[in-house]
Each structure stands twice: as structure tokens, then as C-alpha cells.
Amino acid sequence: AKYIWALTFDKQGHLFAGTGDQGVIFKIDPDGSGKVFFDSHQTHIMCLTMDGSGNLLAGSVPDGLVYRIPADGKAFVIYKADYPEIHDLAVDASGQIYAAALGATGGQGVPIQLTTPQGGPAQGGTATVTVTASAGDDSAESAKAPKPAQTTRAGASFDRPAPATLGTLAPKAPTGRGALIRIQPDLSAETMWTSNKESIFGLALHGSQVLFTTD
């Protein structure tokens, strides 16, 4: 797989990995052996979580699907969004499912990426590293950063390229448009929040409240 987008455990200790760009979910046993659990035929499986009945829930790109997958791996779609990407999922104690959907309607559902600043990374030049060793010296003075390269009786100096400075990695996300969807246990769904300017990314449940983050 090219990407691993999501990880979650079931109660038996199996690890599930949602991947791209083939949209496959892998099931990894506690001993480290793994196999294909479900092939969605989507491009990406972006998020995973377990419901209270032990079913795996998964969100996809580019068709904005929410899957419910029981232990036998026979999945069915419980919701199709009007957005290309289901970016996150959360389930409350009563079995209500919350889905963060984003992207332009009819878009291809490009997952979030991190890009370097315009102009590329800054070059780092050369740094001199001095390694010294001395017995019984644990004073505050000895804990300070090493001075520039120098000859010491119990040490060595060498030059190495300094790492390039990437600066702040800027998220490159789909065009700002998103919705928070609530799916009831009977699979009826309602839109709790929507925006033509903001994408929704993260979900967290706190009692009877749902918290979410946007760009």
C-alpha cells in the first residue's frame, strides 16, 4: 500500500489499517501476521473506528461512503455523502455515528497533504560537532551546548552537513466545503452542520456533545 491513513484495534487485539491508493483494509493479528480484510474498490480508506457491536466502520474517498463491516468482512454501505471524502468517524454510546465529510461536490476527493513552503526547503550549510568525554564533571557549565570545533585531549571533532530547514509544513486540503453528518442506528441521517467555506477534519465526543475541527 502507498498510504496508511487510519489505524484502530478491536476488542480481541486485532489491528485494522485503512490504506490507499487501492482502498484496502488490512487486519493484523497480535503476532504481527496480516491479511486483506476488505477491498473497498475505492481509492482511499481515510478513517476507521469500531462500533459498540464490534463492527468496523470505515470512511472512503472518492465516493464519500461509510461502510459497516462485521467480523466476517462482508461489508455494506450504510451512508453515501454528497461529498467525496469521509475524513473522520465517531460513535457515541447510543450507537449514533458522526461523520466528517468534506470536499467539493463532484470532486475527486484528494486527501489532505503536507507541502513544503514556496521556494522549497532552505539549505543548511555545515555544522561542526564536538564530542568530549571527561571524568567526574557534571557541573552546570559542562551541560551547556558544545563550543565550535576545537582540539580536546579527550574528544574528537568532525563536520557534517546541517539538515535542510523545511519551515512550517502547510496543509494542502480539498477546497473548503464540509458537513457534519449524524447517522442514527436505524440508518436515517441528518446534517448537523454544513459550510461552503470550511472543511471539517477531526471529531471527538464528550458526553452528549460532539466537537469538531475545521480548516
Side-chain angles (χ1 to χ4, degrees):
K2 188 174 182 180
Y3 305 101
I4 297 177
W5 292 114
L7 298 170
T8 195
F9 282 98
D10 66 11
K11 293 181 179 179
Q12 292 72 43
H14 302 105
L15 176 65
F16 295 90
T19 70
D21 52 0
Q22 299 297 321
V24 173
I25 299 175
F26 292 92
K27 182 178 181 180
I28 300 109
D29 293 332
D31 65 3
S33 59
K35 62 181 180 181
V36 173
F37 178 66
F38 172 62
D39 185 350
S40 70
H41 301 290
Q42 291 282 286
T43 306
H44 302 278
I45 295 294
M46 291 301 301
C47 52
L48 298 172
T49 193
M50 305 298 298
D51 69 12
S53 300
N55 300 305
L56 182 66
L57 302 177
S60 80
V61 178
D63 292 337
L65 305 178
V66 177
Y67 294 93
R68 177 178 284 155
I69 315 170
D72 61 8
K74 296 180 180 179
F76 57 98
V77 175
I78 62 173
Y79 182 74
K80 184 181 187 306
D82 292 330
Y83 302 80
E85 178 170 345
I86 302 295
H87 195 81
D88 202 5
L89 291 167
V91 186
D92 68 15
S94 64
Q96 297 180 118
I97 301 167
Y98 298 87
L102 60 87
T105 301
Q108 296 301 307
V110 180
I112 187 171
Q113 301 174 35
L114 293 179
T115 59
T116 55
Q118 189 172 8
Q123 298 305 310
T126 302
T128 300
V129 179
T130 301
V131 181
T132 62
S134 59
D137 184 2
D138 59 355
S139 65
E141 185 67 25
S142 66
K144 293 181 179 178
K147 294 181 174 61
Q150 56 185 322
T151 302
T152 63
R153 186 173 58 182
S157 298
F158 58 93
D159 292 339
R160 70 176 180 186
T165 302
L166 292 179
T168 302
L169 291 176
K172 182 182 179 182
T175 303
R177 197 166 176 276
L180 174 62
I181 312 296
R182 178 165 57 190
I183 307 167
Q184 301 287 353
D186 64 3
L187 302 187
S188 61
E190 62 176 317
T191 299
M192 302 183 68
W193 172 90
T194 185
S195 174
N196 288 325
K197 296 181 179 180
E198 293 181 87
S199 299
I200 178 172
F201 292 111
L203 296 176
L205 300 179
H206 182 66
S208 61
Q209 297 178 322
V210 57
L211 311 178
F212 63 94
T213 58
T214 73
D215 58 359

